[in-house]
Amino acid sequence: MTRRWWVAPSEVSDRVLIAGGGIGGLAAALALAQKNIPSLVLEKAHQLGEIGAGIQLGPNAFHCFDRLGVGETARRMAVYIDHLRLMDSLADGEITNIDLGPAFRARYGNPYAVVHRGDLHGVLLKACQAHPLIDLKVSSEVTSYDQDGKTVTAKLANGERLTGTALIGADGLWSNVRRQVVGDGSPRVSGHTTYRSVIPTEQMPEDLRWNAATLWAGPKCHIVHYPLSGWKVFNLVVTYHNHAPEPVAGKPVPVEEVHRGFTHICERAQTIIRHGKDWRMWVLCDRDPVDNWVDGRVALLGDAAHPMLQYMAQGACMAMEDGVCLADSLARTETLESGLKTYRDRRVLRTARVQLMSRAMGDHVCHPDGPHAALRNAIMSAKSQDDWFAALDWLYGGSGLD
Ligand SMILES: Cc1cc2nc3c(=O)[nH]c(=O)nc-3n(C[C@H](O)[C@H](O)[C@H](O)COP(=O)(O)OP(=O)(O)OC[C@H]3O[C@@H](n4cnc5c(N)ncnc54)[C@H](O)[C@@H]3O)c2cc1C
């Protein structure tokens, strides 16, 4: 169907405003540009960037890269791992693995990879900077908005007011736009504390330098590691369910604090942590799924819409899928408002499933103890590769356009 709400961009107010220049906001801008829709990305920080850690990308992320026009560049920056590996960190043995080789790639049409966040953000940023339909503005915190049925005005913390045809809230976990659209208060504090570090590959114990995203599951704690940046470094993400009461993001912590949560697991898994330096901590938050992401000409995207725990490694993948689906829905619609609702309808169930499964992963896969852990091992070790593929079809086979 021909797009009718938009004939040809003529006025500056015809652009879509995007609050947030993270992975979700930049993906949305690129996806809109692919459909000839201009946008202005408003980023709160003084410069655009990402923290220096790693991120896992399922095949669904690569489906998105192609739709965003950055498929080849994105493929060049990735490390292609051979397995997803689940280890028992008390017994020091493998519970199961998923083979990411030729059969996996053939089934999903794309690989599973790990990348440096900065590299991923950089690919999206460069493409945005090079596109004539995308403008980027830093030091621009969106605090609230007004709308009049034809336009939306974003109010910035510095007093500026900027007008567009729509506003997309891609402003993350603590979204100001969500506060006005949904108004459901602060995110839920999970009580799980995650510590991150990146270490040179030569400091990773030699017998653990696997070409895999490995998760060591243990009572109330787990460790994830994988190689990054052409095998120059290993990314370490270690999580401790210590019932932390307050949200924290990126606070530097001494190494002794990190060790405290892992003294009960096997020696081999503990050695991984000993080599970490410059640890930073996050107390993880998420939210229950909601479906009221749209208010007239305003919609939410990425963590602003559906913040999730990281245990399915899908938050950024879902944010990019959102961007692809948003642009596709707007390009097909007769009115902007109905396009935003279509986008919401196409995304709510899929993202809710990942939100809830991520929580369940924490409870039933990452952190169980005793008979609960024995049951996990019995169920998961009995699965064949075909069983795993069948269980993952809904996720990795998707592109955001289902
Ligand atoms: C430990 C950990 C590991 C993870 N691992 C993975 C993984 O392996 N794979 C995966 O896919 N996902 C993973 N995730 C999730 C992923 O990082 C997030 O889901 C993703 O970054 C969300 O992107 P976003 O653009 O929606 O939000 P954000 O990345 O939070 O970006 C929001 C942007 O908006 C800006 N901003 C905030 N407020 C405002 C405002 N009011 N106005 C303007 N700008 C504003 C911020 O400065 C930021 O640049 C992980 C998360 C964590 C915590």
Side-chain angles (χ1 to χ4, degrees):
M1 191 193 297
T2 322
R3 173 156 49 91
R4 298 204 190 134
W5 62 275
W6 181 279
V7 181
S10 53
E11 305 277 334
V12 74
S13 58
D14 287 336
R15 67 198 170 181
V16 173
L17 303 175
I18 299 173
I23 291 166
L26 296 186
L30 277 179
L32 290 169
Q34 296 286 321
K35 303 289 184 188
N36 217 24
I37 301 172
S39 63
L40 168 62
V41 178
L42 300 166
E43 167 57 45
K44 168 168 108 170
H46 301 309
Q47 68 185 66
L48 288 146
E50 257 285 355
I51 60 159
I55 195 161
Q56 303 181 49
L57 298 173
N60 54 321
F62 287 87
H63 306 329
C64 293
F65 291 138
D66 287 332
R67 290 177 184 276
L68 299 176
V70 296
E72 286 320 304
T73 342
R75 281 182 182 82
R76 276 201 299 275
M77 70 181 172
V79 171
Y80 298 100
I81 50 175
D82 297 330
H83 292 98
L84 298 177
R85 206 162 182 189
L86 180 65
M87 304 290 292
D88 183 324
S89 76
L90 290 183
D92 190 359
E94 183 177 280
I95 302 167
T96 188
N97 73 71
I98 300 175
D99 188 334
L100 305 173
F104 179 94
R105 292 189 190 192
R107 185 155 181 142
Y108 300 118
N110 260 314
Y112 195 103
V114 290
V115 300
H116 195 280
R117 278 170 180 267
D119 294 344
L120 168 60
H121 190 268
V123 165
L124 299 175
L125 181 58
K126 264 197 193 136
C128 285
Q129 285 166 333
H131 207 295
L133 289 178
I134 301 174
D135 286 318
L136 302 155
K137 190 167 152 51
V138 293
S139 307
S140 299
E141 179 182 359
V142 175
T143 52
S144 63
Y145 61 83
D146 281 335
Q147 54 183 325
D148 61 11
K150 287 191 180 144
T151 60
V152 185
T153 300
K155 300 181 192 171
L156 305 194
N158 63 11
E160 262 186 274
R161 295 167 73 91
L162 294 161
T163 302
T165 190
L167 170 66
I168 305 304
D171 47 348
L173 179 67
W174 296 95
S175 167
N176 285 344
V177 180
R178 182 181 178 116
R179 198 173 55 223
Q180 199 168 339
V181 172
V182 186
D184 56 352
S186 297
R188 183 192 74 110
V189 181
S190 69
H192 300 194
T193 301
T194 281
Y195 305 91
R196 283 163 152 167
S197 172
V198 175
I199 58 170
T201 295
E202 55 275 15
Q203 287 180 13
M204 185 71 180
E206 212 167 341
D207 62 328
L208 293 175
R209 288 182 207 163
W210 298 329
N211 192 26
T214 305
L215 191 156
W216 295 78
K220 288 199 161 193
C221 74
H222 73 279
I223 297 174
V224 172
H225 56 82
Y226 47 83
L228 270 187
S229 303
W231 275 82
K232 288 193 197 74
V233 294
F234 261 78
N235 191 55
L236 307 182
V237 187
V238 309
T239 302
Y240 176 29
H241 187 173
N242 58 351
H243 305 278
E246 301 284 340
V248 175
K251 183 179 149 202
V253 286
V255 67
E256 299 74 36
E257 177 175 335
V258 185
H259 289 184
R260 213 170 292 145
F262 299 86
T263 51
H264 57 302
I265 60 172
C266 69
E267 178 59 24
R268 196 154 68 125
Q270 287 195 44
T271 58
I272 302 165
I273 303 171
R274 278 192 205 119
H275 294 283
K277 284 196 190 110
D278 302 326
W279 290 97
R280 286 178 180 269
M281 86 175 234
W282 280 256
V283 173
L284 304 174
C285 297
D286 69 355
R287 288 184 187 271
D288 290 329
V290 297
D291 59 7
N292 49 336
W293 304 356
V294 176
D295 170 23
R297 292 176 165 253
V298 182
L300 302 175
L301 178 148
D303 276 5
H306 43 68
M308 53 186 68
L309 302 180
Q310 79 256 23
Y311 304 147
M312 300 273 290
Q314 278 288 324
C317 301
M318 286 296 128
M320 289 191 288
E321 285 191 3
D322 286 350
V324 168
C325 182
L326 171 76
D328 185 73
S329 302
L330 289 186
R332 289 159 183 264
T333 190
E334 293 191 20
T335 69
L336 184 118
E337 289 89 339
S338 66
L340 293 180
K341 281 191 184 139
T342 303
Y343 152 71
R344 187 267 323 270
D345 292 346
R346 292 167 84 183
R347 295 298 299 156
V348 161
L349 292 188
R350 181 167 169 82
T351 53
R353 188 169 177 180
V354 186
Q355 277 176 291
L356 296 176
M357 281 188 69
S358 297
R359 271 188 203 169
M361 278 272 293
D363 293 341
H364 301 298
V365 177
C366 301
H367 295 161
D369 192 8
H372 193 168
L375 178 63
R376 169 199 65 205
N377 292 2
I379 292 174
M380 298 190 83
S381 63
K383 286 198 189 292
S384 67
Q385 292 300 315
D386 279 345
D387 292 336
W388 281 124
F389 290 176
L392 291 166
D393 278 346
W394 70 275
L395 181 59
Y396 297 150
S399 65
L401 296 176
D402 311 325

